Amino acid sequence: MAKRAKKHKKEHEEIPEAWLLPYSDLLTLLLALFIVLFASSTVDNQKLHELSSVFNAVFDGGKGVMDYPSDTMPNDPKSDETSKNSAYLEDQKSLSKIKGNVDDFIAVNELEKQFETKLTDEGLLVTIRDSVLFDPGKAVVKSEYEKTARELSKLLVFDPKRSVVITGYTDNVPMHTAEFSSNWELSVMRAVNFLKLIVDQNPKLDSSFFSAKGYGENNPIASNNSDEGRSKNRRVEVLIQPLVKKDGSSTNPTINKGASVNESKTGE
């Protein structure tokens, strides 16, 4: 009897180990918490999804703190910025290719002294001396250069389509004729007539992507104090606009409806 009592007493003195199970669960949860905190400090959508899958499997699946729809996942600012820069650079590359085609056209037709191309923040700018297209004080394109204008129009067919703005400029010599009362009017009509010649002669062009405007004697690119300077200021510019702006935002070419004339009023 004494041996049985002693054995019974010894059994009561054994320390239970049931507490180890909740303790291990607590440590696992703490480990998961620290991993989540570390991962969220530098969010990576792909890694976050992987972590979510692992921990959901560990804790028998189901919706957890790491489970949320992919469309509500926080965006990675660096990834968005990279995507915007990539789109902008790709569009600039496309504009450079267009510039190469226009430069080839100029070289083939030996128009280096009358035409000039330049990539700007606003797009590809093609500058044409007015003496190539118009007689002094006139807004009708010379008949001998109509073919050149039609050939140029073939280079303005783009896929996807781009907005094209044609702008007229004059020198500062006052314009007072029966046809035009100011340089502003002359510059506008030159731009419009050149636009109509380009668009009307090429059925592949969509007129809703073209517009015309005139600045008269304003925005000169040379001094008006010499014949050479005034000659440079008398010009028509064809601006082929980008599809993606420098900040990564897309332009909307469909804003221009019809071959509208944006009459930018200037001083005389």
Side-chain angles (χ1 to χ4, degrees):
M1 293 292 292
K3 289 182 178 181
R4 289 183 180 179
K6 187 176 181 179
K7 184 178 180 181
H8 183 70
K9 184 178 180 181
K10 187 176 182 179
E11 288 177 353
H12 279 285
E13 290 177 354
E14 290 180 357
I15 300 175
E17 297 180 355
W19 61 274
L20 290 174
L21 185 60
Y23 179 70
S24 63
D25 288 342
L26 178 61
L27 290 179
T28 304
L29 288 172
L30 286 173
L31 175 62
L33 175 62
F34 284 120
I35 292 176
V36 171
L37 291 174
F38 175 76
S40 62
S41 65
T42 53
V43 177
D44 185 307
N45 290 343
Q46 183 176 356
K47 291 182 179 178
L48 199 56
H49 275 299
E50 292 175 357
L51 284 172
S52 176
S53 300
V54 171
F55 284 108
N56 287 335
V58 171
F59 299 117
D60 296 327
K63 292 283 184 180
V65 293
M66 298 179 66
D67 266 337
Y68 46 91
S70 59
D71 57 350
T72 61
M73 293 285 286
N75 293 325
D76 186 348
K78 292 183 179 179
S79 178
D80 290 344
E81 189 67 26
T82 300
S83 178
K84 290 179 180 179
N85 289 339
S86 177
Y88 171 73
L89 292 175
E90 190 65 27
D91 188 51
Q92 289 298 302
K93 183 178 178 180
S94 179
L95 281 174
S96 296
K97 185 176 179 180
I98 295 171
K99 181 180 183 298
N101 293 335
V102 177
D103 288 339
D104 290 342
F105 164 79
I106 294 172
V108 169
N109 291 276
E110 299 180 349
L111 296 170
E112 290 87 352
K113 293 183 179 181
Q114 294 83 16
F115 280 64
E116 181 184 351
T117 62
K118 181 171 63 174
L119 281 173
T120 70
D121 290 339
E122 295 181 345
L124 173 57
L125 187 66
V126 182
T127 302
I128 310 171
R129 296 279 184 89
D130 79 323
S131 58
V132 177
L133 302 173
F134 309 101
D135 289 322
K138 300 295 183 181
V140 178
V141 179
K142 297 178 182 179
S143 58
E144 61 265 33
Y145 287 105
E146 289 182 2
K147 181 180 178 181
T148 302
R150 284 194 293 268
E151 290 297 320
L152 178 62
S153 73
K154 296 178 183 179
L155 302 175
L156 301 179
V157 179
F158 309 115
D159 184 21
K161 296 176 181 178
R162 295 174 180 270
S163 287
V164 178
V165 182
I166 298 176
T167 308
Y169 299 89
T170 68
D171 56 26
N172 66 344
V173 176
M175 172 60 59
H176 294 291
T177 65
E179 190 174 3
F180 303 109
S181 61
S182 67
N183 283 323
W184 169 58
E185 292 181 11
L186 175 61
S187 66
V188 170
M189 289 311 303
R190 283 181 168 179
V192 170
N193 288 339
F194 187 58
L195 180 151
K196 290 174 64 178
L197 179 61
I198 287 178
V199 175
D200 292 348
Q201 298 297 325
N202 192 341
K204 293 182 179 180
L205 294 178
D206 186 344
S207 62
S208 65
F209 287 81
F210 285 76
S211 62
K213 56 185 179 181
Y215 282 101
E217 64 197 60
N218 290 274
N219 300 334
I221 58 175
S223 172
N224 279 307
N225 295 326
S226 66
D227 290 339
E228 183 180 358
R230 287 191 292 270
S231 176
K232 291 181 178 179
N233 291 331
R234 297 191 299 268
R235 67 197 189 277
V236 171
E237 293 181 346
V238 179
L239 178 64
I240 303 168
Q241 296 185 330
L243 295 176
V244 182
K245 296 180 181 179
K246 200 168 186 178
D247 61 3
S249 61
S250 299
T251 59
N252 185 4
T254 59
I255 291 177
N256 298 326
K257 294 297 183 182
S260 60
V261 179
N262 300 320
E263 297 180 347
S264 305
K265 192 170 183 177
T266 64
E268 298 180 18

